[in-house]
Amino acid sequence: MNRLIKDHWYVQYSEETLPAIQKGWVLPVDKWADCDPFILMAEDWFKKGTFPDHPHRGFQTVTYVIDGRLEHIDNAGGRDILQAGDVQYMNAGWAARHAEDGVENDIAHTLQLWVNLPKEKKKTDTFYQNVYAEKAPVVAIPGGTLKVFSGSIAGITGPLQTIVPMTLTEINLEAGAEYIHRTPANHNAFLYVLSGDVTIGKGEEEEIQLKKHGVATFQYDETGDSHVVSDCRLIANERRTKLLFYSGLPIKEHIVPYGPFVMNTMDEIKEAYRDYHNGKFGPPAI
């Protein structure tokens, strides 16, 4: 079964005010209904002081560090520095409170994906998981490699333990390499080109070509199950083509993304703000 392309675009960037530097919306929040369970994905360049202590509730984040160093501090006592190629997972659940910063004078360059939680899991316990680049399993393929962070891909399972079933694979291809990426057919999916040039799809009428900063979203089988896979054909047109491929099981619930919270109704958003201001999220992270 071939995974058909639904849409594609290039990320547009805006200059920010220091200590933030630049931002682009890989997945704009107004596309959440089409991208379910994915709410948004931001690409950010920033220095220390951009994302100080702040709260979250009702969703998960998956942060991939492209370059620089990212320091993460949370109010449960967690503290770590992530480097290029590392990934952090956060289940905000009931009440996350953390800070994300560049280290010293570094410019942190990150991709942060927000992933929805089903209504019955929006108040689960908060937890964090870091996966360093060297700890993610790697699979050799003709003309390249796969690094699997989440889900089962090419016979191996990534270490990320997400609440909503999802896959995250870093795909590296040399010029001319052709690879078929297989993910559950009932998953919504998208990819983001980090470098190089890739042809996506099968057959001229279904193919597109994307370069760095290109995004493609794909159709999925709403009636399928996780045991059926769909194929996405990728051909690298330049050496060192690198992309991230994400897929996730849709939740199919209406959501209200508002500030740092993602709930199902506006009343629940108001409750989250009240709980935060009343101290129910705990002490500051720093």
Side-chain angles (χ1 to χ4, degrees):
M1 175 180 176
N2 292 320
R3 191 177 279 278
L4 300 178
I5 298 163
K6 181 165 54 178
D7 198 0
H8 65 282
W9 60 86
Y10 282 92
V11 180
Q12 302 298 310
Y13 297 94
S14 60
E15 299 300 317
E16 302 290 299
T17 302
L18 285 172
I21 296 171
Q22 185 168 258
K23 177 182 284 290
W25 294 107
V26 178
L27 295 182
V29 69
D30 61 5
K31 290 184 179 288
W32 70 261
D34 289 332
C35 297
D36 179 23
F38 307 121
I39 301 163
L40 61 83
M41 187 157 83
E43 182 172 7
D44 291 291
W45 289 257
F46 58 96
K47 301 187 78 172
K48 190 175 183 67
T50 304
F51 299 112
D53 174 67
H54 60 278
H56 291 298
R57 175 182 287 177
F59 64 102
Q60 310 153 88
T61 62
V62 180
T63 304
Y64 178 95
V65 181
I66 298 174
D67 199 9
R69 292 179 295 167
L70 174 70
E71 183 174 27
H72 178 267
I73 306 168
D74 64 69
N75 69 345
R79 188 173 195 142
D80 203 356
I81 293 176
L82 298 122
Q83 301 183 39
D86 294 344
V87 169
Q88 184 193 64
Y89 171 76
M90 174 186 74
N91 179 53
W94 157 251
R97 189 165 179 175
H98 70 163
E100 300 157 290
D101 258 327
V103 178
E104 297 174 346
N105 203 37
D106 279 16
I107 297 173
H109 180 194
T110 65
L111 289 166
Q112 186 168 96
L113 176 67
W114 289 20
V115 187
N116 193 23
L117 283 168
K119 182 177 178 62
E120 70 274 10
K121 294 184 177 180
K122 285 190 178 295
K123 293 189 177 181
T124 49
D125 290 340
T126 302
F127 66 90
Y128 306 85
Q129 183 188 1
N130 294 333
V131 177
Y132 306 133
E134 64 272 20
K135 298 298 184 181
V138 176
V139 180
I141 58 175
T145 59
L146 311 177
K147 184 175 289 185
V148 182
F149 287 99
S150 181
S152 295
I153 301 292
I156 62 173
T157 300
L160 276 185
Q161 301 296 312
T162 60
I163 290 182
V164 173
M166 66 169 287
T167 73
L168 167 53
T169 311
E170 178 191 291
I171 303 172
N172 294 273
L173 299 172
E174 289 301 312
E178 180 175 342
Y179 165 63
I180 304 294
H181 191 61
R182 295 183 169 92
T183 49
N186 65 344
H187 278 202
N188 221 340
F190 74 97
L191 65 77
Y192 181 55
V193 182
L194 288 170
S195 62
D197 182 312
V198 63
T199 298
I200 305 161
K202 187 172 183 180
E204 290 185 5
E205 293 183 0
E206 299 174 2
E207 285 183 354
I208 61 168
Q209 185 176 352
L210 285 180
K211 296 180 181 291
K212 183 177 181 178
H213 306 308
V215 185
T217 60
F218 301 92
Q219 297 180 16
Y220 70 99
D221 182 0
E222 296 188 43
T223 62
D225 62 49
S226 59
H227 300 293
V228 178
V229 297
S230 61
D231 299 343
C232 180
R233 177 172 172 258
L234 305 169
I235 301 174
N237 303 312
E238 290 183 3
R239 68 190 183 99
R240 297 180 184 172
T241 292
K242 178 186 286 191
L243 56 92
L244 298 175
F245 198 107
Y246 298 80
S247 77
L249 185 65
I251 295 171
K252 301 178 182 178
E253 294 178 354
H254 177 76
I255 60 170
V256 179
Y258 195 95
F261 308 124
V262 178
M263 303 302 290
N264 296 99
T265 68
M266 197 62 200
D267 284 344
E268 291 170 339
I269 292 289
K270 292 175 181 177
E271 178 188 37
Y273 274 101
R274 285 195 303 270
D275 287 347
Y276 172 62
H277 289 301
N278 289 336
K280 293 185 179 180
F281 281 67
I286 50 176

